[in-house]
Every structure is written in structure tokens, then in C-alpha cells.
């Protein structure tokens, strides 16, 4: 989405990204370290065609896999796959109410994210939200909290945007 506050400025796949086999080996290594849970994020982790295999391998190794998505690609099928694969918490990055969120990401992103949260509630999937706090969304966070409660969000993580990646170019938000 090329979000205005993304710290990684993800625009394309990097050379040398992990193959499926390498990612699954890493899942085994993570379990060998004794980690209890891990969060898969991005960019957008649902872009990986093997995301569900990674989730399943982590779960089979005794590691609780959580995933953060922008919500754009979330469908009932994706949620069914996530549930079958053993997802712990599925979190949607939502930055505030519709006008602000779509400004930060792209038009329609808020509605897609909220729809993902409603589907998660209806499918009994543990739903969370990650919000990057800026000067512009701080005043609307109380109303946003009420909105999140209405759709069954169980976890809300607030994080402060740091001047790196795309946010470095949008310093008026810091």
C-alpha cells in the first residue's frame, strides 16, 4: 500500500528472500530456540503464497503464530485457511477512523480492514488491531476505540511512528 508511515518502505520483493523450504527450516530453528510465539508481518504477509504453510509449521512446532495484515486481501477463505493452519491472533493494521486511515494507506482500505474484523468476529478468530499514532490521529483515538469494541477487537496495540522509511518523508505526522 506504500503507507505514509511504513518504516520499511516496502515496494518490491528483495533478492534472496526465503524460499518455502528455507522459511520452513527457519520455523524449525525458531522452535529449537524455545520461542513460545512469533508474529508474521510485512509489508503484507498474505502476499506470500506459502504463508499458511509457515503458520502451520510454527504451530506444529509448538510456537503460536500471530499475523499482522493490512486487511486488504482478507476473505472468508483466507480466514478459514488461517484457522485451519493454527493462527493465534490475527491483527489488522488500522490507523484510525476512515478518512485518516484511507489518507495514510489508500482509498477503501478502512472498509476492507473493518470488514476483515467483522468476519474474524463471526468466525471466532482472535482479532487485534495495530495502530500507528501520529499528530493527526491522536484526537480521534477515543472514538476509534469505541468503533473497535463494537466489532469485537480483543487486542489493540498502539505504536508511535518513528522517522524512518516512508514516515521520514512525511515528517509533519511525527
Amino acid at each position: 500500500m506504500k503507507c505514509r508511515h511504513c518504516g520499511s518502505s516496502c515496494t518490491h520483493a528483495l533478492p534472496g528472500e526465503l524460499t518455502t523450504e528455507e522459511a520452513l527450516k527457519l520455523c524449525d530453528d525458531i522452535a529449537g530456540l524455545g520461542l513460545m510465539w512469533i508474529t508474521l508481518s510485512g509489508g503484507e504477509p498474505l502476499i506470500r503464497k506459502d504463508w499458511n504453510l509457515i503458520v502451520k509449521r510454527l504451530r506444529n512446532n509448538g510456537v503460536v503464530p500471530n499475523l499482522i495484515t493490512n486487511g486488504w486481501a482478507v476473505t472468508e477463505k483466507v480466514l478459514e485457511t488461517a484457522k485451519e493452519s493454527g493462527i493465534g491472533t490475527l491483527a489488522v493494521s488500522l490507523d484510525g477512523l476512515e478518512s485518516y486511515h484511507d489518507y495514510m494507506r489508500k482509498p477503501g482500505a478502512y472498509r476492507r480492514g473493518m470488514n476483515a474484523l467483522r468476519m474474524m468476529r463471526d468466525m471466532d478468530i482472535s482479532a487485534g488491531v495495530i495502530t500507528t499514532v501520529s499528530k493527526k490521529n491522536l484526537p480521534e483515538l477515543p472514538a476509534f476505540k469505541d468503533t473497535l469494541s463494537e466489532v469485537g477487537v480483543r487486542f489493540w496495540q498502539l505504536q508511535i511512528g518513528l522517522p524512518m522509511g516512508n514516515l521520514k518523508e512525511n515528517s509533519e505526522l511525527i
Side-chain angles (χ1 to χ4, degrees), residues 22-105:
E22 291 168 332
L24 295 176
K25 168 79 170 80
L26 181 59
C27 293
D28 297 338
D29 294 343
I30 287 168
L33 292 172
L35 296 180
M36 296 171 58
W37 61 86
I38 190 164
T39 298
L40 306 173
S41 64
E44 174 54 47
L46 294 179
I47 290 173
R48 274 193 77 113
K49 291 182 170 81
D50 60 357
W51 69 267
N52 62 313
L53 300 176
I54 295 167
V55 167
K56 189 172 193 171
R57 183 66 150 263
L58 287 164
R59 182 57 87 166
N60 288 342
N61 283 338
V63 179
V64 177
N66 302 304
L67 190 141
I68 301 171
T69 177
N70 60 32
W72 192 267
V74 173
T75 62
E76 281 189 28
K77 176 70 173 143
V78 165
L79 294 177
E80 287 168 4
T81 300
K83 201 169 184 175
E84 290 165 5
S85 301
I87 201 71
T89 296
L90 190 57
V92 177
S93 294
L94 283 169
D95 301 311
L97 299 172
E98 187 170 6
S99 174
Y100 177 79
H101 181 75
D102 285 359
Y103 162 77
M104 291 301 288
R105 293 175 184 263

Side-chain angles (χ1 to χ4, degrees), residues 85-134:
S85 301
I87 201 71
T89 296
L90 190 57
V92 177
S93 294
L94 283 169
D95 301 311
L97 299 172
E98 187 170 6
S99 174
Y100 177 79
H101 181 75
D102 285 359
Y103 162 77
M104 291 301 288
R105 293 175 184 263
K106 70 182 199 178
Y110 177 83
R111 289 181 187 208
R112 299 279 284 263
M114 291 300 291
N115 188 50
L117 291 171
R118 286 184 197 94
M119 285 190 291
M120 283 185 257
R121 176 195 61 208
D122 295 346
M123 295 176 72
D124 198 30
I125 294 173
S126 180
V129 167
I130 311 296
T131 300
T132 300
V133 178
S134 77

